[in-house]
Structure formats: C-alpha cells, structure tokens
Amino acid sequence: MSAARIDWRIVAAGCLAVLAAIALGGRGGAPLVTEMLLMALFASSLNLLMSYGGMVSFGHAAFFGLGAYGLALAVSRFGLPVAAGLACGPLLAGLLALVFGTLCVRLSHIYFAMLTLACGQITFTVLFQWYDFTGGDTGITGFMAPAFGLDERWFAVVVLGVVVACLLALWRVVNAPLGITIRSVGEDPERVSASGLNPRRVQLTAFVIAGTLAGVAGSLFAALQGNAFPDYAGLGFTLDSLIMVVLGGLRSFGGGLYGAVIYVLLRNYVPLLVTEWELVIGVILLLVVLWSPEGFAGGLQRIGRRLRSEPRP
Amino acid sequence: MTATAGRPILEAEGVARQFGRFVALGGVDLALEAGEKRALIGPNGAGKSTFINVVGGQLAASAGTIRLDGRDVTGLQPHQLARSGLGRTFQISRTYRQMSVRENLVAAYLVARGHGYSLSRGRLRALAAEAEALLERVGIAGLAERPADDISHGDRKRLEFAMVLAGEPRLLLLDEPTAGMGLKERHELMDLVAEEASGRGLTLLFVEHDIDVVFRIADRITVMARGQVFAEGTADEIAADREVQRIYLGEGH
C-alpha cells in the first residue's frame, strides 16, 4: 500500500476488459457486469474503512440501502426528476453516515462494530416498517424505468463510467495526506492523538466518504432494478460486502474490486453446479482466511514476489 | 521547591488519579522551568507513568490542576495538548507499524502542520526533504523504506522520537525512552535526546530507570514513591539523599 501514481495502462486495460465483457457477454453479460461494478464500488467503500481506517463495519449496507431509497423516495414521493434523485441517494447516505458515524466512532474495535450493526438494523427496520413513506416490506417500485429505459449494455457503460470515477477519487483520497492520516488512525489512534489530531474526526471523515460512495452504488443499483427494497440495507448485503473485502484482500486498494468480481461470479455460476452454493462460498472463505489472509490481492502479491525473486530459467 | 528565574512551562498542582480504590497518584506537585531537563525516577508502581499519562491527556486527573505556559489545561484531550506544544513518546513506542519509516514521519509532519485532511499530494512532496533530514539527524535515514514493524526496537524508539520532534513541541514527555535497550544504544539515544532538547530549547521530562542515564542527562531529578513526590533536587542533592538511597537507589544496586 505505498503511495503511488495511477497507472493509467491498468485503468485502461480494466475498462477495455469490462467493455469487451459488456459487448460480447450476450444477453446475461451486461446485467452481470453492472452488478459486479456496483458491488465493486460498494465493497471498495467498505474497504476504505477496513483496510485503511482499521474499522470493521457490520452495518455498511445501511448506506447502500439509503442510496437506493434516496433515489426512490426523491422520485416517487417528492416528484423530483431521476437525475436529481441520483444525487439525493448518495447525499442521504452521506448525511446518515455523518449521524451514525458520530455515534459509532466514539467506541473502537468490537464495540464500534456492534454500534454499526445497531445503526444498520435501525435503518433496515425503519425502511421495513414505515409503510406510509418507504412502502415497508413491499419497497418502492415503478418510480422509474429500470436502467432509465436504456439498453442494458448502455446502462452498464454508464455505470462503468461512474464507478471508475468514484474509484479514481477514492484512490486519490488514500494516496493524499488524508489517506495517510486515515491509515495512521487505523494503525494507532493514540499516536495520532498525541501528535495533535483528533482520531475520532478522522474516523468520521472516512466513515462519511465510505457511506457516500456506498450510497452511489446503492442509487445506481436501484436505478438498474427500477426499485428499492429494505433488503438493500439489510444484513445480507452487509455480509456480502464484508465477504467481498476479505476474499479480495485486506490491506489492498484493489481488495473490494477483486472481491466483487470473484463473489459475483461465484454467486452466479456456482448455483448452476450445486444447490448449496452458500456452502461453497463458506468453504472458499475459510480457505482464504486460513491460507491467504490478505485475500486474492495478497495471493497475487506473493506470486509476484516469488516470480521476481526466483526467476526460473 | 527552589525559586528560579522565569515562569514554569508546566505546573502540576495536587494532581491525583485513582483507579477504583487504588490511588495511583495522591496529589503530585511538580513545576518545570522552561528549558530544563527533568528526570522522573522511582520504584515500580510509584506513579511515574500515570503522571506522564495524566499530563499528556491520555488519562483524566481525578483531582488537581495542570497548567501549560500558565494556561489551565486540565482535562484537555491529547490532541489539544499536542497543539498547545506538548509532545510525548510512550513506554511501548507507538508508531504506525505497517507503514514505512518515512511514511510514519511524513504522517507526523502532516498532522503537525495541520495538513492531515489535505487532498493535495504536493504537500507530501513538500515534506519529503524535511522528513529525510530529520531521519538523518536521528540516525535512521537508511531505514526509510522499511516498515516500522521491521526495524529494531531501538530504531523504533528513534523513529517515535523523530515523530514527536516533527510536531515542534516545547515540552517533551518521554516515558521510559530507553526501556528494553542495550547499554550502548541507551546512552546514544539519550545523548541524541539531550542534544536535540538543548538545540531546540525544549523542556524535557523523562521517566528513566537507568540511574547513569539520569545523572548524565538531567538538570534536576524528581523522585516519586507511592503516588507522591518523595524528593526533588539536583543530581548531587538526590545522590546524597539518604532516604532516596533507601527507597530507590539501594534497590538493585
């Protein structure tokens, strides 16, 4: 995790690969790629907290869900145009991240995690129960044409643009002084405090950035489906994001990205082979944690190091 | 207490700290003149670290007042105290273990200069030369690329000291700066500390178990026992004090 410039060749290669998958992926390709991209952004936002800020959130889907509801409510209840709604989603998520974050960063470690769990469950419950406003368990549907009525492939291209822009912004953050500060707090908040900066405020800043980006992912997810359901803020999505980060690799910027690609592929293709696909994911997670605790990215780095230090004739 | 010229930079009055029913500090009075080097000695459990932690803001005082440059700073948070000119190291050195030595120091500079939230990478480049020079001065420039986790205990102490210096403190609290170090390393580190403190006009308060180091560096010595100040004076006065010899110097010598 050293501060580095953006390698535009990698960015370009990644974008081309995604575009190729969209173009050549057939009927199911574009939606799968879109889901992957949105999960990549969602997981990367959590990765900012976990890999850089040293914070494990058990309620991160709250902000994904709030992003979705920000859009759905703005359009269905307040009659705003969809474009404005897409701004409302991340805004709502960011605002609630500020509120919940202020509460959660008062404590550390498992206590922080429990507070985020509580905030996540509160969000889910409000969305689930407030029938008059949020539609309760029936969610909000029919407020917009799924994918803006665009062809799924074009929608995937739009999502690619937004996700790449968000990830570049995130890269910028983690490699700027702010990123160093966030990592410092992740490593030793007492040292940061003794150096003259309130670590809680740094944690809150990271929490709001992460919540807002999760909100972007959630908004676009709602736009893709043309609906919003309480599940988007539920424990299932939170667990998805945690699993993606761990699979992809803690302590790596690409962790969320790799994790999302692997996880979405597994979730889509393993059920075709076995009915108990959760079992397969569970076993894979177990193997990763035991043998490559730094996930796919850590494994890649190890292979890279081995290749460089032991050149085979 | 002796009356010397100038105003004390640090004044502690009746500073107390309890943990449940255990009295770790039972009303400590201590004043530091600007620029002096004061050693804090005493047997284990005397309350030295507790006192440092209360002054540094890591622990709240149960009673008493602490003034920094005449300003009441009792109850302030560590980051507020740091901004008021107080720098400290910890008994078990605190650094950012997964970050490189250079990044550790850059992080300290960013905070000290108020750029902790900046998004400008130009700030990092601007600090690089300064960080390099300070690493050079504390003798770990050769380790700049290494993760802080990967360097020796003594070098990590040097790194933490450099991180504190980056904050340009006026008052420096060092809690057992040489704990766990070899004899030679220990003297080298403390000579560096003394040199930097003198050069920068810093006031130094350090907890130290090695009496040789204490006598070599300290202008004055405060002896604590059982949460109280037991004696205070110059090195000679303390060395001649029979009671001090009985409770402290006698042990392990």
Side-chain angles (χ1 to χ4, degrees):
Chain A
M1 283 208 306
S2 60
R5 297 178 166 282
I6 294 166
D7 190 336
W8 291 103
R9 286 170 306 179
I10 292 179
V11 176
C15 288
L16 281 176
V18 172
L19 288 172
I22 294 168
L24 308 173
R27 186 172 273 278
L32 188 66
V33 169
T34 307
E35 188 190 347
M36 241 178 231
L37 288 167
L38 294 177
M39 289 301 118
L41 178 56
F42 179 37
S44 294
S45 69
L46 178 64
N47 193 35
L48 174 69
L49 299 182
M50 288 176 68
S51 292
Y52 294 85
M55 295 178 269
V56 180
S57 169
F58 284 161
H60 201 53
F63 307 112
F64 187 84
L66 286 164
Y69 274 86
L71 165 64
L73 290 169
V75 176
S76 66
R77 303 284 187 262
F78 298 99
L80 291 177
V82 172
L86 281 171
C88 291
L91 207 67
L92 182 67
L95 272 176
L96 267 290
L98 184 65
V99 174
F100 290 157
T102 305
L103 191 73
C104 295
V105 301
R106 297 166 62 90
L107 299 177
S108 310
H109 310 299
I110 189 66
Y111 304 101
F112 169 84
M114 288 301 114
L115 286 178
T116 58
L117 178 64
C119 290
Q121 289 306 92
I122 288 167
T123 305
F124 172 77
T125 308
V126 168
L127 296 176
F128 191 79
Q129 298 285 350
W130 194 3
Y131 281 90
D132 297 341
F133 192 57
T134 66
D137 59 352
T138 56
I140 303 175
T141 52
F143 60 90
M144 65 179 282
F148 313 127
L150 287 174
D151 180 273
E152 278 171 338
R153 279 173 295 188
W154 284 114
F155 185 77
V157 174
V158 172
V159 168
L160 173 65
V162 175
V163 169
V164 168
C166 287
L167 291 181
L168 287 175
L170 191 60
W171 174 269
R172 182 68 198 251
V173 166
V174 302
N175 287 294
L178 174 59
I180 292 189
T181 311
I182 291 172
R183 280 164 65 197
S184 307
V185 173
E187 301 241 355
D188 196 334
E190 286 237 43
R191 176 76 264 159
V192 174
S193 173
S195 296
L197 204 58
N198 185 351
R200 307 254 173 261
R201 267 191 60 193
V202 177
Q203 288 171 326
L204 180 59
T205 305
F207 202 80
V208 171
I209 294 172
T212 306
L213 290 177
V216 173
S219 271
L220 287 170
F221 193 74
L224 168 70
Q225 316 279 350
N227 61 37
F229 289 109
D231 282 352
Y232 297 177
L235 263 183
F237 269 86
T238 287
L239 289 179
D240 288 347
S241 63
L242 285 163
I243 292 171
M244 286 187 278
V245 170
V246 174
L247 278 182
L250 285 167
R251 307 206 151 277
S252 155
F253 181 82
L257 195 67
Y258 302 137
V261 172
I262 297 168
Y263 188 64
V264 172
L265 284 177
L266 288 174
R267 197 165 59 182
N268 274 275
Y269 291 112
V270 174
L272 302 179
L273 306 173
V274 283
T275 38
E276 300 303 326
W277 73 277
E278 283 104 334
L279 183 71
V280 175
I281 300 260
V283 170
I284 290 175
L285 197 61
L286 206 70
L287 295 178
V288 165
V289 171
L290 289 176
W291 274 292
S292 182
E294 304 204 331
F296 180 77
L300 270 188
Q301 279 164 11
R302 239 178 312 164
I303 291 169
R305 268 199 301 272
R306 208 165 293 171
L307 288 179
R308 258 171 283 140
S309 62
E310 297 172 7
R312 284 165 201 275
Chain B
M1 265 180 222
T2 50
T4 32
R7 184 184 201 161
I9 185 167
L10 176 75
E11 292 167 278
E13 267 176 32
V15 169
R17 170 70 201 199
Q18 280 161 257
F19 296 98
R21 289 176 61 194
F22 174 68
V23 180
L25 291 178
V28 171
D29 295 321
L30 190 146
L32 291 183
E33 298 299 327
E36 81 168 290
K37 298 185 190 67
R38 175 81 60 97
L40 197 53
I41 67 172
N44 287 326
K48 307 179 298 291
S49 282
T50 306
F51 182 71
I52 296 282
N53 285 333
V54 169
V55 174
Q58 279 74 28
L59 287 175
S62 312
T65 315
I66 299 163
R67 278 188 292 275
L68 200 58
D69 281 325
R71 188 168 74 96
D72 187 347
V73 294
T74 320
L76 289 190
Q77 294 293 306
H79 63 273
Q80 295 168 315
L81 290 163
R83 282 183 214 155
S84 310
L86 184 150
R88 69 161 298 180
T89 64
F90 292 83
Q91 205 171 79
I92 296 166
S93 53
R94 288 185 173 274
T95 57
Y96 311 127
R97 294 291 191 110
Q98 307 287 333
M99 288 160 59
S100 72
V101 166
R102 178 182 291 120
E103 282 177 315
N104 267 271
L105 192 53
V106 166
Y109 268 117
L110 288 171
V111 170
R113 302 282 161 85
H115 300 323
Y117 288 96
S118 167
L119 289 175
S120 148
R121 270 179 298 179
R123 300 267 185 224
L124 297 180
R125 285 190 287 275
L127 288 172
E130 237 173 319
E132 213 60 56
L134 188 48
L135 287 179
E136 193 76 52
R137 207 147 63 236
V138 300
I140 52 173
L143 304 172
E145 301 295 336
R146 300 263 292 275
D149 205 23
D150 238 28
I151 64 177
S152 76
H153 180 73
D155 287 332
R156 214 175 297 126
K157 291 260 179 195
R158 283 172 184 263
L159 172 59
E160 194 190 24
F161 181 58
M163 290 165 78
V164 175
L165 287 182
E168 291 173 7
R170 282 169 298 122
L171 171 63
L172 199 53
L173 310 179
L174 308 178
D175 192 359
E176 296 199 30
T178 69
M181 293 171 82
L183 187 68
K184 183 162 167 284
E185 267 193 306
R186 206 182 286 180
H187 283 231
E188 282 170 0
L189 177 65
M190 287 313 287
D191 287 347
L192 171 72
V193 168
E195 193 183 308
E196 291 296 327
S198 302
R200 294 161 185 260
L202 302 182
T203 310
L204 190 62
L205 176 64
F206 66 106
V207 174
E208 181 57 64
H209 281 294
D210 185 327
I211 286 302
D212 293 340
V213 168
V214 169
F215 285 154
R216 191 169 153 139
I217 306 292
D219 301 322
R220 293 178 67 78
I221 298 170
T222 297
V223 186
M224 285 183 71
R226 295 183 184 180
Q228 307 270 352
V229 171
F230 182 80
E232 191 178 305
T234 63
D236 291 340
E237 286 164 6
I238 293 300
D241 190 317
R242 287 244 175 100
E243 280 297 295
V244 171
Q245 283 175 8
R246 192 180 60 75
I247 71 142
Y248 185 66
L249 299 181
E251 285 181 3
H253 272 253

